[in-house]
Amino acid sequence: MDKITTSTLARYKRDGRKFAALTAYDSSFAAAFEAADIPVLLIGDSLGMVLQGDADTLKVTVEQIAYHTRCVAQGAPSALVMADMPFMSYDTPENAYRNAATLMRAGAQMVKLEGGSWLLETVRGLTQRSVPVCAHLGLTPQSVHVFGGFKVQGKTDDAAMAILDQAKQLEQAGAAMLVLECVPAALAKAISQALTIPVIGIGAGADTDGQILVMHDLLGITSGYIPKFAKNYLAEHGSIQAATAAFADEVRQGQFPGPEHSF
């Protein structure tokens, strides 16, 4: 796989080429995912749940994300490595600049932030300071206590319009990519068509430019709760390499997610 950059993903969008992404937390899995042609790897604050056993992502620290980012970057030198900025690590633009620098020095090529219009100054400032930004709208897990749980967002017309407006504002502020989580498929399609930057969905239907899963959901390793948008590829394909390759291929062909994985 050639080196993947933000320009590569922008070209994929222009060409109508769908792409897959996965979370990764260590060098060995990162290498396996890169070998299966997964172009984007996210060091997600999901590690607080799937690695540390917490009920949410709020305890994860910048130092922990940086450690896992170094591991993933070592194992997947060609993939685009994206790192989550944890809860309250970007509450002010100045904190965002300092903590993003830590993650970029650890090997990230992009950072991901959860939130809408209140982040516009931060997104502009990071972009001006040479830090590519992926925005994240819809279900933003760091806001779980505000939402009252992990709930689908954008179900009413007003809520959908607000998410669409925020997506446009974030693109104008300089965001180079957008993740949409747990929103109705029709809304995700409208946002993907309205933006020129790539849109990656998780629980957002099949019409986004890319799809991302938490690696533990791909491999059927759960603590009992299986999200609607998850699919156990390991059970179907028997090996991690085959499961990952099947996921990548189904995303490219537009076969995943199906209606059963969407809202």
Side-chain angles (χ1 to χ4, degrees):
M1 183 168 66
D2 294 335
K3 177 60 186 172
I4 304 297
T5 67
T6 55
S7 295
T8 309
L9 300 179
R11 185 177 71 250
Y12 286 177
K13 169 139 186 154
R14 291 193 300 271
D15 294 345
R17 175 179 172 178
K18 293 181 179 291
F19 62 91
L22 280 171
T23 64
Y25 314 96
D26 67 28
S27 177
S28 297
F29 275 104
F33 296 159
E34 182 172 284
D37 289 329
I38 303 292
V40 179
L41 298 179
L42 169 66
I43 298 83
D45 58 4
S46 52
L47 69 87
M49 301 173 74
V50 298
L51 298 187
Q52 297 172 348
D54 290 322
D56 53 45
T57 65
L58 304 187
K59 298 183 184 69
V60 176
T61 67
V62 172
E63 291 74 23
Q64 289 168 347
I65 294 287
Y67 169 81
H68 290 281
T69 297
R70 284 192 293 271
C71 296
V72 170
Q74 289 278 34
S78 295
L80 186 142
V81 175
M82 178 165 60
D84 263 341
M85 295 195 68
F87 179 65
M88 293 299 286
S89 67
Y90 49 98
D91 56 322
T92 66
E94 291 72 22
N95 282 342
Y97 305 156
R98 182 179 66 255
N99 291 320
T102 297
L103 299 181
M104 296 291 283
R105 291 188 184 108
Q109 289 114 42
M110 173 178 274
V111 299
K112 182 166 74 65
L113 302 82
E114 298 180 7
S117 301
W118 69 275
L119 279 174
L120 296 179
E121 179 184 352
T122 298
V123 172
R124 279 192 290 267
L126 285 169
T127 303
Q128 289 167 353
R129 289 160 176 79
S130 304
V131 178
V133 174
C134 177
H136 184 154
L137 292 172
L139 172 59
T140 49
Q142 292 174 18
S143 301
V144 61
H145 296 308
V146 175
F147 294 150
F150 295 96
K151 299 179 179 180
V152 177
Q153 303 297 306
K155 292 192 291 185
T156 68
D157 289 345
D158 286 347
M161 183 59 66
I163 294 174
L164 174 59
D165 288 344
Q166 290 179 87
K168 292 177 179 178
Q169 292 170 11
L170 288 162
E171 178 181 40
Q172 290 169 359
M177 193 152 63
L178 174 69
V179 167
L180 285 176
E181 181 169 356
C182 289
V183 300
L187 173 59
K189 180 178 181 179
I191 292 173
S192 299
Q193 292 175 341
L195 301 188
T196 61
I197 60 174
V199 177
I200 298 178
I202 178 167
D207 293 309
T208 54
D209 306 299
Q211 300 289 335
I212 188 167
L213 284 178
V214 173
M215 59 169 279
H216 294 71
D217 291 336
L218 175 93
L219 302 176
I221 304 170
T222 70
S223 58
Y225 171 69
I226 303 174
K228 179 179 180 178
F229 52 74
K231 180 176 179 178
N232 184 345
Y233 280 88
L234 183 60
E236 293 186 16
H237 297 280
S239 73
I240 291 172
Q241 198 69 22
T244 308
F247 167 61
D249 186 61
E250 287 191 7
V251 171
R252 283 193 293 266
Q253 299 301 320
Q255 298 170 344
F256 178 84
E260 69 273 23
H261 307 113
S262 306
F263 300 99

